Structure formats: C-alpha cells, structure tokens
Amino acid sequence: MKNILVIGGAGYIGSHTVRMLAAKGYNPVVLDNLSKGHKEAVQGYPFELADLGDKARLAETFKKYNIEAVMHFAAFAEVGESVKEPSKYYHNNVAKVLDLLDAMVENNIHYFVFSSTAATFGEPVKPTINEQHPQLPINPYGNTKLMVEKMLADFDVAYGLKATALRYFNASGADDSGEIGESHNPESHLIPIVLQAAAGKRPSIKMFGNDYPTPDGTCVRDYIHVNDLARAHILALEKMAKDNVSERFNLGSGSGFSVKELVDEARKITGINFKAEVAPRRPGDPAVLVADSTKAQQVLGWKPEYNLTRIIETAWNWEQHRKY
Ligand code: UDP
C-alpha cells in the first residue's frame, strides 16, 4: 500500500503527516478545499483542490492516483465555535464524511484513518482516559466526531470498510524544519496564542477560567507533538492493512499541564515575560483531559518523542519564522 489520499493535507496535522508519509516512502496525495488549509503547506505533493463532500471529484481522484487508503483530517475543530455554530459542524464533520465514506465504498477503498478527538469523552470519570472510558461529549465538536466513530463501526460490519479512529489530545508544536507549522485564522489554540503574545503580536493572553477543580484552577490538557501524531497515523495504517481490523487509539503524552503552567514554561523558553490575564471560562471546556495511551504503545509500538519543552521550542521556532 503506497498511494494515500490525505484529505485536509494542507492543514496543520494533515501537512505534517503528508511530509512524514513521503519521508517513509509513501505517495501522499493532498485533497483540500483550502477553506482552512494553506497552499504553502503542500510542499510539492500532488494536490487536488476539492471539497471532501464532492463525491464526483473524490471518485475521479481515487482513480487518477490509484488510491489505496484515505486519511481524513478536514474537520472544523474548535470547541467554542462548535457551541455557537453547531450546524456548520454537523454539515462538515458528519454529513460530508458520510458522502466521503459512501464514495470509498463505491470505489472499493478499504482503509480509512480518522482524526477523532479527546472531546468525544466529555468530562473524565478517571484521571487518565483510555479507550474504555465512556464517551459522553459535552460539546457539538465532540458529538460530531463520536457520530463518525459510530458510522465507522457500522460501515465495517456492513461493507467491510476498515477504519482506525485516533483520538488526539492537544495537538501542538511544529516540524523541526520550521517549514510547516500551525496557522489558524483567527487563532484560537493556546500555544500559538501564547507565543504570539511572546512575539508581541498580541497584547496579552487570556486564561479562560481559574476556578476549575484543578491544582491551580486553570484547565489541564495533554499536549502531544504533531509529528508524534503523524507517526501514529502511519503506524495505525500499517497495522490496519496487516491485520485487516478496525481499531481505536487514544493519543497523548499521558502528562497534563495547566494553562498557567504552560504560560510559565513559554515565558521560560522564550525569555519574554508576556502578560497573562484571567478571563471567564470558555463554554464547552472540560477541566482536565489527559490520555492513557497504553494501548497505542502496546499495539502500535508508539511512544511520544517530544516533551512539552520541545513542543514549545518547535512552536516558537515556527512562530518566529512562519511563512503562512
Ligand atoms: N485557552 C486559554 N486561552 C486561550 C486559548 C485557550 O485559556 O486563548 C485554554 C482553553 O480554555 C483550554 C486550553 O487552553 O483549557 C487548551 O485550549 P485549545 O483551544 O488550545 O485546545 P482544546 O483543548 O480546546 O482542544
């Protein structure tokens, strides 16, 4: 299996996965509508400007490149926005994925790697979240991703479509080359916002809530480097093709850091004492989200290689030299 269609390959996690696929000898093909992605992030790979729900273009692309597997990254992924605009999320993250899966079945493509999320679990009932944890999302974003996980289970039974759902915790950092990295407009994610404050591009950072039931009152998250996620996709694809089974894995570092801790670490790494102020809670945020990735370690042999310091260092390098 060599020819992999990467939907959303011009986006943040997609572009890092494309780069790693190519480095490992695969032939990635990027399909992206560039609504969020960046043409500059597609560095010399075959590119199709199309929407993920466009079945005719998908069929054409599958044939043109003799596609054998699909990795799907093209989703709206902002918790706060999903609370305000759920319709947009259900259309893009659910309805269009149904079209995509139909197109795969119609064109006999059997392997799918799906970007799922820690947000499918909702409020944790245990300190760390493994694959057995109940899935009770508390925001529309998490609902959309869980719906697709359920669709995938049904498509496997009925049509034999094999799928691996990867529940990312907080994707972060940038490629060591500094050529690709995270770029959202407007930016909503914590690490880029913190580093934009450090770079003087924002007056301050707002910490959303300091009255959560956590040691310092700010939300705790599990930050995982984008290249560790990219590597997990390739391992998951290889395992799925070898065993011909559908799987689910939680991908995180297993360590939680609070918003305040992250701000302190970023001040240390950048050497800049940027301003951080407390602001109201953001709707839809669980207090703590930390992964238990034992299954990915045991089944895929996957282990994160980047710690929080390296995550912030690579993100800082990107922030200072970014091309898009
Ligand atoms: N956060 C914050 N200020 C910001 C952006 C995010 O305090 O300007 C917090 C947010 O409430 C959450 C954590 O940082 O607790 C990570 O948020 P992010 O949007 O990066 O990722 P998410 O956890 O929503 O996937």
Side-chain angles (χ1 to χ4, degrees), residues 196-214:
Q196 285 170 13
K201 294 175 187 165
R202 293 174 183 263
S204 66
I205 118 113
K206 290 185 171 45
M207 301 191 289
F208 297 146
N210 68 346
D211 57 352
Y212 283 99
T214 60

Side-chain angles (χ1 to χ4, degrees), residues 42-76:
V42 186
Q43 304 196 313
Y45 307 105
F47 175 67
E48 296 288 326
L49 179 64
D51 194 86
L52 82 106
D54 186 340
K55 285 178 74 180
R57 281 296 300 282
L58 285 170
E60 214 178 283
T61 305
F62 292 152
K63 290 192 184 83
K64 181 172 168 188
Y65 300 98
N66 196 15
I67 293 299
E68 295 152 285
V70 174
M71 291 185 176
H72 170 50
F73 297 89
F76 295 134

Side-chain angles (χ1 to χ4, degrees), residues 190 193 203-209 259 275-280:
L190 181 63
I193 285 181
S204 66
I205 118 113
K206 290 185 171 45
M207 301 191 289
F208 297 146
V259 173
K275 192 170 158 203
E277 51 200 353
V278 176

